[in-house]
Amino acid sequence: GTAGLGIMQEFFSVLVLIALGMAIHQRYIKKNPHVKAHSEFDALVVIVGIGGLIITYFITNGMFINQGNPPNPVWSIPVSNAFAGLLTVLFSPDAQSAVGMVSFWIHALLFVALLIWVPRGKHFHLITGPMNVFFNANATRRSGAALPKMDINIEEMDDDTVLGASNITQLSRKSLFDTYACTECGRCQDVCPAFNTGKPLTPKGLNVELRMELERAAPLIIAGKADAEGVVRPLVPSIFSDDFIWSCTTCGACVYECPVDIEHIDTIVELRRFKVMMEGDMPSEAPGLFKNLERRGNPWGVKDSRIAWAKDLDLPVWGKDGGAEDFDILYWVGCAGSFDNESQKTSTAMVKIMRAAGVKFA
């Protein structure tokens, strides 16, 4: 009943109404495709539920004010006081009490209904999102977070060994939990180079579709029907196309932008690993690339030496003819910097920069 509580409730209630107005504008007026909900019904229930909570809060407070029993000092709840004035204009004193009591019970019912609804719908991310961040040990906020290692022991492999993941039972717990942490905010899509150039990949869709598949199959698996036909389906092509998983450039933009630390790339790479290592199924460009790597040690199959680009730079090469041993930085040039004409210019410029800075490198 304090003024401080009244001011805080009024302030945040108004902010919530403004936010709901923005959401309605984005979804139903502007029809922004990036915020399209997996379930429009679910989104509508939550918008109506939260909006109803706020409106009924103001109406109920207005009734109490008109009855001379304000829940807080009247000056601290100006919006509720405005609703009290509106009730006075529209209804008689008896009708105001009836409207106020109906509003009170609608408020209570909406609150309890949302408590039940939220864990069953998309908005479960209110709980799972913070948990996903708290328990994430892969440091996604750091550029270059590592992919999960593959535990391959050729001597122990048998016909039941699976490399990568084909269905939801073979995905990691983190990949499955990611689907429930997803807020469907669309930030991953906004920065995805594949999605923004018309490719079939959508990082948001990855999690939404996986969650739908999990919700379909998991009850049947728990009921012991995992072996029944159609229960455990291959994710590619049943859910995702080949183009979907191979459109990803693994740039990490989606992972970096995600507010709840979802690891989109880990899941996509697991699906790719299965396709390549278990089925020998890969894009047509890949076999030639693998052959060049195996025979020449670079994707282009170039015969030149890896350090031919630096022949006129008098560079210390680590491990070559007992070469450089005393250095602070190892400049790892990579294939493009060694063999691609344009990238060689970058490699040469980097050498000049480090020399000008006095860096001891090899």
Side-chain angles (χ1 to χ4, degrees):
T2 64
L5 180 62
I7 291 171
M8 186 172 69
Q9 287 179 319
E10 296 276 304
F11 176 71
F12 282 105
S13 295
V14 170
L15 283 186
V16 169
L17 283 181
I18 293 172
L20 286 174
M22 294 167 65
I24 290 169
H25 178 264
Q26 286 285 330
R27 289 183 184 278
Y28 305 114
I29 299 174
K30 187 179 178 182
K31 295 182 179 180
N32 186 342
H34 287 196
V35 297
K36 181 175 175 59
H38 149 55
S39 169
E40 287 295 344
F41 179 72
D42 187 18
L44 194 60
V45 165
V46 173
I47 287 175
V48 171
I50 295 175
L53 275 176
I54 303 302
I55 298 298
T56 53
Y57 160 77
F58 287 133
I59 293 174
T60 304
N61 278 1
M63 175 195 70
F64 286 133
I65 290 171
N66 287 343
Q67 290 177 344
N69 184 30
N72 309 84
V74 174
W75 65 265
S76 70
I77 47 175
V79 181
S80 296
N81 195 31
F83 270 78
L86 186 63
L87 289 173
T88 301
V89 172
L90 296 177
F91 303 104
S92 66
D94 290 341
Q96 287 180 43
S97 296
V99 170
M101 288 309 297
V102 170
S103 175
F104 173 85
W105 284 109
I106 290 175
H107 183 88
L109 288 170
L110 285 174
F111 179 75
V112 175
L114 285 173
L115 284 179
I116 298 169
W117 185 269
V118 165
R120 291 176 168 268
K122 174 185 88 75
H123 291 79
F124 193 39
H125 68 72
L126 294 170
I127 299 168
T128 53
M131 292 174 66
N132 205 41
V133 174
F134 183 80
F135 290 110
N136 182 17
N138 200 24
T140 55
R141 293 299 180 192
R142 188 182 73 247
S143 178
L147 288 168
K149 294 181 180 179
M150 299 193 68
D151 185 17
I152 300 176
N153 189 326
I154 296 178
E155 295 180 356
E156 295 182 3
M157 292 177 67
D158 55 30
D159 292 341
D160 296 326
T161 299
V162 175
L163 303 176
S166 171
N167 56 62
I168 58 169
T169 66
Q170 294 162 353
L171 288 172
S172 68
R173 273 193 249 175
K174 177 64 168 67
S175 290
L176 297 179
F177 197 77
D178 279 348
T179 68
Y180 282 95
C182 179
T183 69
E184 298 187 28
C185 65
R187 295 182 193 178
C188 52
Q189 289 185 172
D190 288 343
V191 298
C192 177
F195 180 81
N196 284 312
T197 52
K199 307 294 192 304
L201 172 67
T202 155
K204 173 181 166 182
L206 173 75
N207 287 292
V208 170
E209 296 295 335
L210 279 177
R211 184 171 72 236
M212 292 174 64
E213 176 68 1
L214 189 58
E215 290 172 347
R216 180 198 67 81
L220 298 173
I221 295 171
I222 293 171
K225 301 178 181 178
D227 295 331
E229 185 177 355
V231 173
V232 180
R233 303 185 296 178
L235 295 172
V236 182
S238 298
I239 310 300
F240 308 113
S241 66
D242 286 328
D243 286 342
F244 184 101
I245 64 169
W246 288 108
S247 294
C248 176
T249 68
T250 65
C251 67
C254 54
V255 179
Y256 184 82
E257 288 295 329
C258 181
V260 290
D261 282 6
I262 289 173
E263 304 277 359
H264 312 74
I265 293 177
D266 290 13
T267 302
I268 291 173
V269 168
E270 286 301 299
L271 297 177
R272 288 179 174 181
R273 284 171 169 172
F274 182 89
K275 297 296 288 184
V276 173
M277 292 186 282
M278 300 300 294
E279 297 183 342
D281 184 4
M282 65 197 82
S284 58
E285 299 87 354
L289 181 144
F290 290 153
K291 186 180 295 184
N292 288 334
L293 286 172
E294 181 181 0
R295 293 182 177 179
R296 302 292 184 186
N298 64 81
W300 295 278
V302 178
K303 299 179 181 180
D304 294 346
S305 164
R306 185 168 283 274
I307 58 171
W309 66 275
K311 61 182 182 295
D312 297 327
L313 296 176
D314 189 26
L315 288 181
V317 180
W318 180 54
K320 185 176 184 294
D321 302 326
E325 300 294 339
D326 181 23
F327 59 91
D328 299 323
I329 298 294
L330 176 65
Y331 178 28
W332 181 264
V333 181
C335 290
S338 298
F339 299 108
D340 179 71
N341 291 334
E342 289 300 312
S343 297
Q344 286 175 359
K345 297 176 184 177
T346 304
S347 303
T348 302
M350 191 67 200
V351 168
K352 293 177 180 178
I353 290 170
M354 288 193 289
R355 279 181 169 166
V359 176
K360 291 176 64 178
F361 73 96

